[in-house]
Structure formats: structure tokens, C-alpha cells
Amino acid sequence: MSQYANYALDSDSYDTTRIPVGLDTILACLARTATPLSQQVLLEAGCGTGNYLHALHPHVGSLSGIDFSEGMLTQARRKLDEQVGLTCGSILDMAFEDESFDGITCNQVIHHLEEGPSAADDPSAWEPSQFPNMTQFTREAWRVLKPGGAFVINATTHDQFRDGYWWAALIPTAVSRLVCRMPDFDQLQQILREAGFEIESVEPELHGILQGSSYLDPEGPLKEAWRAGDSTWSLVTETELADAQHRVEQMNSEGTIQAWLDEREQYRSKIGQTTFICARK
Ligand SMILES: C[S@@+](CC[C@H](N)C(=O)[O-])C[C@H]1O[C@@H](n2cnc3c(N)ncnc32)[C@H](O)[C@@H]1O
């Protein structure tokens, strides 16, 4: 299992650069389940600091979250009331009974599941795997979901990794490493179908920006806390980081950074940063 991002350290600053996007899409998928939304028992797999749990809480019957980072769960406990059950554990082997949940949502987690090239490795020498951990997680989701339940995955496609984030063009080798860790959406749908799920919808989110108002900070890459809000930065080499930072400093001092951001925004606004798959058991 991959742990390339250090969420024990990043949990303190995570909420300064992240907001929950696509809530309407998640709720619409959950609402198509026979059980009324207000009575549904929902699980967020890889709940992190609980931003999605907090936003979904008023809409559903009861909520649980699981994450393997105690640091992230500590932040989640601060914002959630005691009725939200939080479990420290891996989503690959969940300590829940079969058919416990009406719905499962998993937001921005699956690129963390597989081993892949680290910052020290040459990404071209790494062969993409068959994504065994994604397969195992999908089987676990199937097991703990009730028949007819919804499994909503919010993840970033390979193209969105490259063009949905303005800094991706500054650190292309780190982005390649990240892409190696993640099935593309055709593979993802195949893994879901093989586990028994029916795919109801695949929708890119074109408006939401995961980093909220901090996204277009023209000096963001120079700040450690800002970089901690996106795990791609954990895959840069020292040289790639230094080169990217030099370029950002140069564009800021020459007054060209805004034009660069505007150009990158044209790409993001067409492709989005994330895509939602709604799968049904
Ligand atoms: C980018 S954060 C997303 C957190 C939250 N879902 C959100 O969108 O704000 C990824 C989270 O996945 C968790 N994670 C990664 N792999 C995991 C695994 N195998 N089991 C449990 N949690 C995992 C990390 O600890 C981290 O909190």
C-alpha cells in the first residue's frame, strides 16, 4: 500500500487548501437509492479531515468515516459531532459487517492506493501494475454495501492530472509518476464491473476547484503548507522542485504570472479537476 504523501504532517494545513467539491453529484447518486436519503447510512472511505462528512451530515441518516491516518482523523474529530463514527484503518480491509451501508463515497483517495515510482525513481522504468489494491478496495466496498447501494468515487483522470491543475505544467515528471499510480477511467470502470457493480454515470466536475480560494495563489509553489494541499508535490525531486520554484519566482518578478495562470485556467475550465463515477451494487 502506498503512503507517498505524509498525511501525519500535512493534516494540520490540509483544510487551508482543500474544500469538498461535487456534493450535489454525490447526493444525486445517493438519492437514486430506494432508501430515502434522510435514512441512509453512509460511509466515506478515506475521509481525511472530514470535510465531505461535515458537508454531507445534514442530508443523510447517519455517517461513518474510515482513514488510516490518525493525524487526519484528529482534525476530523474536531469538526464532526460524536455521532459520526470514525475508524482508523485501511479501506483495503475494513472492519465493518457485510451489507452495513446504503452508500459509500470515496473522495480523492484512489491515487494513493498503489505503489508506483517515488521521487527517487525514473517513472519511465516503472511498469503500471494491474492495480491490485484498487481491485481489493472495490471488493471491500461491494461487501460492506447493501444490495442496491451506491458507490460514488471522486477521482482525477490522467488528463485532468495534466491539465486541471495550473502547476502540473511546472512539474511534469512528478505528474507522470502520479499518473502511473492510478488506473485510467476505462480500467477503473472495468474493475468496478468485474466486482459486480453497474456503472450509472461518469461525470467530470467542471466548476469545483479542490483547493478553493487558495488555488490561484501565484506564489503557492513557494510555500510548503500550500504544496501540502496536493500530494503531487510529494513526488517531485529536489531538482524538479527547485526548477519549478525558480520559474514561479521569475514569472512573479517579471509580471507574467497572471498571463500564465489565465492560460492554464483555460485548460482547467474545459476539463475540470475531478470526475465522479456513480456505481450501483
Ligand atoms: C487527498 S486525502 C482526501 C481526504 C478526503 N476524502 C477529502 O477529500 O478531503 C486522501 C486520504 O486518503 C487516506 N488514505 C489513503 N490510502 C488509504 C487507505 N489504504 N486506507 C485508508 N485511508 C487511506 C489518506 O490518509 C488521506 O486522508
Side-chain angles (χ1 to χ4, degrees):
M1 183 166 22
S2 146
Q3 295 199 29
Y4 70 93
N6 189 346
Y7 282 111
L9 293 178
D10 297 345
S11 54
D12 285 345
S13 56
Y14 187 82
D15 285 355
T16 63
T17 60
R18 289 297 277 255
I19 58 165
V21 305
L23 293 165
D24 289 349
T25 308
I26 297 173
L27 287 169
C29 183
L30 297 175
R32 291 196 291 271
T33 306
T35 305
L37 200 49
S38 60
Q39 292 168 27
Q40 287 188 25
V41 180
L42 180 69
L43 173 69
E44 187 185 2
C47 61
T49 63
N51 289 335
Y52 278 90
L53 290 173
H54 187 256
L56 292 167
H57 198 188
H59 302 279
V60 298
S62 71
L63 277 167
S64 296
I66 177 168
D67 199 287
F68 67 14
S69 163
E70 201 33 78
M72 297 295 263
L73 290 174
T74 299
Q75 300 296 330
R77 277 186 205 103
R78 290 191 181 133
K79 70 168 78 78
L80 296 167
D81 84 35
E82 287 163 5
Q83 286 157 353
V84 179
L86 293 173
T87 302
C88 189
S90 171
I91 62 173
L92 306 188
D93 181 18
M94 298 190 276
F96 301 120
E97 300 288 326
D98 295 359
E99 301 184 5
S100 305
F101 299 100
D102 298 291
I104 300 175
T105 179
C106 178
N107 300 290
Q108 292 297 310
V109 174
I110 63 175
H111 54 286
H112 292 283
L113 295 184
E114 310 293 343
E115 287 302 333
S118 68
D121 297 326
D122 171 7
S124 63
W126 192 74
E127 295 284 328
S129 73
Q130 296 303 306
F131 304 105
N133 292 343
M134 183 65 216
T135 304
Q136 192 175 329
F137 168 47
T138 303
R139 288 189 188 134
E140 271 295 85
W142 176 272
R143 182 183 69 75
V144 301
L145 199 54
K146 293 180 189 170
F151 181 26
V152 193
I153 300 177
N154 150 11
T156 298
T157 66
H158 290 182
D159 288 343
Q160 287 174 326
F161 275 129
R162 294 190 186 96
D163 281 331
Y165 301 82
W166 70 264
W167 57 82
L170 297 170
I171 50 170
T173 310
V175 172
S176 304
R177 289 191 177 94
L178 186 59
V179 162
C180 283
R181 294 168 169 268
M182 169 78 192
D184 69 25
F185 268 53
D186 287 343
Q187 290 170 303
L188 197 50
Q189 288 179 69
Q190 193 182 332
I191 290 169
L192 287 162
R193 286 200 189 94
E194 279 169 7
F197 285 100
E198 184 189 322
I199 309 293
E200 273 186 6
S201 59
V202 180
E203 287 176 46
E205 161 63 54
L206 295 182
H207 304 295
I209 297 182
L210 290 171
Q211 298 77 17
S213 58
S214 75
Y215 177 61
L216 288 172
D217 180 346
E219 295 187 340
L222 308 177
K223 302 171 192 167
E224 195 174 348
W226 186 92
R227 294 197 307 277
D230 188 286
S231 55
T232 321
W233 291 99
S234 309
L235 293 170
V236 288
T237 58
E238 277 182 26
T239 313
E240 193 175 20
L241 177 60
D243 288 350
Q245 290 183 324
H246 177 66
R247 211 162 148 205
V248 167
E249 279 166 344
Q250 211 171 17
M251 287 193 284
N252 274 290
S253 67
E254 288 170 355
T256 55
I257 188 81
Q258 195 52 51
W260 163 271
L261 292 173
D262 290 347
E263 190 191 324
R264 298 310 306 172
E265 273 298 85
Q266 304 249 346
Y267 289 98
R268 186 201 57 75
S269 61
K270 287 194 189 85
I271 200 166
Q273 292 188 326
T274 182
T275 297
F276 287 77
I277 297 189
C278 177
R280 183 77 50 191
K281 177 169 175 180

